[in-house]
Amino acid sequence: MIYLKKFEPSDFSQLIDWIDSPELNLQWGGPAFDYPLTKPQLKAYIKDANHPGSSRYIYKVVLKESGRSIGHISLANIDLHHRSARIGKVLIGDKTIRGRGIGQVMIKEVLKKAFEDLNLHRVSLGVFDFNDSAIACYEKAGFRKEGLLRDCRKLGNEYWSMWEMSILESEYQRK
């Protein structure tokens, strides 16, 4: 259905087009990116990524049947000593294919890289508490809620709370 391919400068414009509001920018990138998203921000984001021994792997998500890029995901904060990492920047940018289970496949693919290729023990992520479809996707993949970070992000005059979730190697192996 999909495969993950290294995210490169040639992909910047498409991602910038997908991130079309301050709300989506915060959901996708957290506090690491200012809105509007720019090429210099993305250039800094991919610096030192995607090579053996990197602490960050950044991918575009590509449909196998058409070769069309439809999303984005990263595996970052890779700590080989503690055998842990964090999934982030999850986005199905092509709105026409949302709700078809592609998010589930994206998570499976990045977990395969984390647990099978990098031999990690724990993978975590954060998801805003109002994003019910993402929470359901992550729970279906085996993630468990660890705790709620209350009012941890601010957009305008509104505060957003975020669930911290994780999956352990043994839980991944049982899936």
Side-chain angles (χ1 to χ4, degrees):
M1 178 184 274
I2 60 130
Y3 63 92
L4 303 180
K5 188 174 179 182
K6 180 180 165 184
F7 181 74
E8 299 179 328
S10 60
D11 303 309
F12 289 1
S13 292
Q14 183 176 48
L15 183 60
I16 289 168
D17 288 344
W18 286 337
I19 307 296
D20 60 2
S21 70
E23 294 80 10
L24 185 56
N25 188 69
L26 183 58
Q27 285 183 12
W28 171 76
F33 296 92
D34 294 322
Y35 183 80
L37 192 59
T38 63
K39 290 180 181 181
Q41 288 181 85
L42 292 174
K43 185 176 179 182
Y45 169 53
I46 67 168
K47 186 178 188 301
D48 300 325
N50 297 331
H51 57 77
S54 176
S55 66
R56 184 171 57 237
Y57 290 91
I58 303 168
Y59 303 103
K60 64 181 174 181
V61 181
V62 180
L63 281 177
K64 283 183 181 175
E65 63 204 38
S66 67
R68 186 168 51 102
S69 178
I70 52 116
H72 184 93
I73 194 166
S74 72
L75 185 66
N77 299 350
I78 298 168
D79 181 335
L80 296 177
H81 176 75
H82 294 286
R83 297 178 55 214
S84 64
R86 187 166 182 85
I87 293 174
K89 316 296 185 283
V90 180
L91 176 69
I92 299 174
D94 184 336
K95 295 174 184 173
T96 65
I97 61 167
R98 290 182 185 163
R100 297 186 187 176
I102 288 180
Q104 188 71 36
V105 179
M106 289 168 56
I107 296 300
K108 279 185 176 180
E109 289 297 313
V110 83
L111 287 176
K112 182 178 178 183
K113 290 181 180 300
F115 290 118
E116 296 177 23
D117 297 348
L118 296 173
N119 192 33
L120 298 181
H121 174 71
R122 180 180 190 276
V123 175
S124 65
L125 58 80
V127 58
F128 289 110
D129 65 345
F130 56 79
N131 195 341
D132 295 330
S133 61
I135 292 167
C137 172
Y138 301 144
E139 287 179 332
K140 190 172 180 182
F143 282 82
R144 294 184 185 183
K145 290 178 179 173
E146 294 183 329
L148 184 67
L149 304 175
R150 300 178 308 141
D151 289 358
C152 65
R153 298 287 182 262
K154 185 175 188 259
L155 185 65
N157 293 321
E158 185 178 6
Y159 286 94
W160 292 358
S161 297
M162 182 174 14
W163 282 109
E164 185 66 21
M165 302 179 77
S166 72
I167 184 171
L168 302 177
E169 178 181 25
S170 59
E171 295 162 339
Y172 170 78
Q173 291 169 347
R174 286 195 294 262
K175 286 304 257 175

